[in-house]
Amino acid sequence: MNLLPVSSGISAKPCHAYVGSYAPHGQGIYRFAMNSAEADLQSLGAPDLAPNPSFLLFNADHSRLYVANEHEDFQGRLSGSVSVYRRDAASGALSLAGCVASGGARPVHLSLDAQERYLFVANYGCGSLSVLALDAAGGLGQQLDQQSPAQFKTLQPYTALAQQAPPGSFAHSDHDGPHAHQARLDPTGQFLLSTDLGLDQIISWQFDARSGRLSAPRCHPSSAGAGPRQLCFHPRDASLCYVLNEESSTLSWWRFDASAGGVLRALGEISTLPAGFAGSSFASELQFTPDGSQLLCLNRLHDAIAIFEIDAAGRPQLLGHEWTRGSYPRSASFDPSGRYFFVCNQRSDHLAVFRLAERGAGLQFTGRYVPVPSPTHLVFASV
C-alpha cells in the first residue's frame, strides 16, 4: 500500500461558506458566515452575480476563489468561462479579479496542481479539457493546452440503457458524444485523470508540469452505458481509485499504476442503490469522510446518500442510505471541522445539514435547512 496522510479536519474556528447556484432561480454566488459549533449559516448579503456557477474552488490559503461558469456564450463564442475572485478574509467579501474563456462549452469542474501554477477545466458541453496558466498572484493567464477525447475515441457514443442500471431505468442521457465531467491530477501529480460520461471512458493524460501540456492519453472503458461522472483516490492508498457512474448509479474501483504510465485496472463495481430498487436515478458525487473510513455517494431521484465502508483490501461495502431531506442532491461538502455534511438539494432550493456520527455510525440529520435557490456547489474558507 502507498500510504498517504489523512487530516483529522478538526477545527473550532468560524468560517465563511460560498454556494454556487443555477439560473433562473439562482443569481450567482451566495455568501454565509458559519458558527462551526452550531453549523448555522448566516447570510452575508446579496449574491455576487455570476452566470451559472457550477463549481467553486479555493486555493490553499483561501485568498482566491475560482469559479466555473456553466454557459456557452462567452463573448460571442461557443465557450463557458472561468472567473477568479479575491476574497477578504475578515468580511468574506468577493471582488472579481478576472474572467477568461474556459476553452469549451459548459464547464463543470476545476482543479489545481499542488504548486498552484495551473488550473484544469472540464468542459461538459463539448467534452474538452483545458489547462489554464496562473500568474504569480493566482490570476488567470493564457490557455496552455486543450484536449478532446473525440479525436481518439475507440467506441461510438453509447445510446442504450446502462448495462448495470436498475430495472426500469431511463437514465441514458448525453451519450451523444464526449462530455467531460471531471479533471484532476493523480496523487503523484504526473497524470491528469478525466471522466467522460458520453464516451463511457476514464482517461489518464500524462502531465508535463514544466509546460502545462497533456499527452499520451490512455482510455479505460467503464461498463457499457455507465456514464463515469466523478472519481477520487483513497486517502491512505494512492493506488486505489473510485469512480461514481451517473447513468448506472454504480461505484467502481480501480487499481491505478503511475509507474506503468497511468494505467487503471478494474477491480469491481457495486450499485449505490438499495437492493430491489427499480426505476431511474442519477448518481452525482462521491467523497471520503475526513478520517478516510467511509465513502459517501449521492443519488439523485432516489435522493439519498449511499454510505460505504472500505475494507482493508479497498473493497466498498454498502452500509446503508440516508435520505437527503430534499430533491436532486447535486453535491455535498464537509465543513472545516469535519463534523457537518452539507447537501446541495438542487430542486428543493436548500442545503440540508447532517452531522457525522461517531464510531462510523453514519450521518444524522441536524434538522437544519439553509435556503439557497438551485444550489450547485458549496465550499468553505477559514476566517
Side-chain angles (χ1 to χ4, degrees), residues 75-234:
Q75 296 181 347
R77 60 182 123 166
L78 185 61
S79 177
S81 60
V82 176
S83 302
V84 59
Y85 295 82
R86 296 188 186 92
R87 172 179 169 268
D88 182 274
S91 68
L94 299 175
S95 57
L96 182 64
C99 186
V100 300
S102 66
R106 297 172 57 197
V108 293
H109 187 269
L110 305 173
S111 63
L112 288 164
D113 69 310
Q115 290 72 39
E116 298 184 3
R117 295 178 57 203
Y118 305 104
L119 185 71
F120 306 103
V121 187
N123 295 296
Y124 185 81
C126 63
S128 70
L129 305 177
S130 299
V131 183
L132 303 180
L134 302 179
D135 62 28
L140 297 166
Q142 65 175 321
Q143 179 178 293
L144 297 177
D145 202 356
Q146 183 178 8
Q147 299 286 346
S148 173
Q151 61 186 304
F152 58 82
K153 63 185 181 185
T154 57
L155 299 173
Q156 293 297 315
Y158 194 88
T159 56
L161 295 174
Q163 185 180 68
Q164 298 201 33
S169 173
F170 285 91
H172 57 85
S173 58
D174 289 346
H175 276 85
D176 55 352
H179 290 290
H181 221 303
Q182 188 186 43
R184 58 174 296 176
L185 291 174
D186 80 291
T188 72
Q190 300 177 71
F191 298 93
L192 186 76
L193 275 69
S194 65
T195 52
D196 195 293
L197 181 147
L199 299 181
D200 293 329
Q201 301 272 0
I202 303 103
I203 305 163
S204 62
W205 305 78
Q206 196 165 44
F207 173 62
D208 185 343
R210 291 172 297 180
S211 67
R213 298 289 180 178
L214 304 174
S215 63
R218 291 178 179 266
C219 297
H220 308 87
S222 67
S223 60
R229 179 183 174 94
Q230 287 202 354
L231 64 85
C232 67
F233 286 86
H234 194 291

Side-chain angles (χ1 to χ4, degrees), residues 2-42:
N2 184 7
L3 296 180
L4 297 175
V6 179
S7 170
S8 66
I10 300 301
S11 171
K13 296 180 180 179
C15 60
H16 293 137
Y18 301 81
V19 187
S21 63
Y22 274 145
H25 296 164
Q27 299 299 308
I29 303 168
Y30 292 75
R31 296 174 292 112
F32 299 88
M34 176 177 164
N35 178 340
S36 59
E38 301 292 337
D40 185 22
L41 297 186
Q42 298 294 327

Side-chain angles (χ1 to χ4, degrees), residues 270-309:
I270 187 174
S271 178
T272 62
L273 298 166
F277 180 90
S280 299
S281 190
F282 297 85
S284 59
E285 183 170 356
L286 79 170
Q287 60 180 282
F288 275 92
T289 54
D291 67 359
S293 66
Q294 296 179 348
L295 186 59
L296 308 178
C297 302
L298 300 182
N299 291 316
R300 296 173 294 182
L301 294 188
H302 179 240
D303 292 338
I305 307 160
I307 304 171
F308 291 91
E309 185 175 54

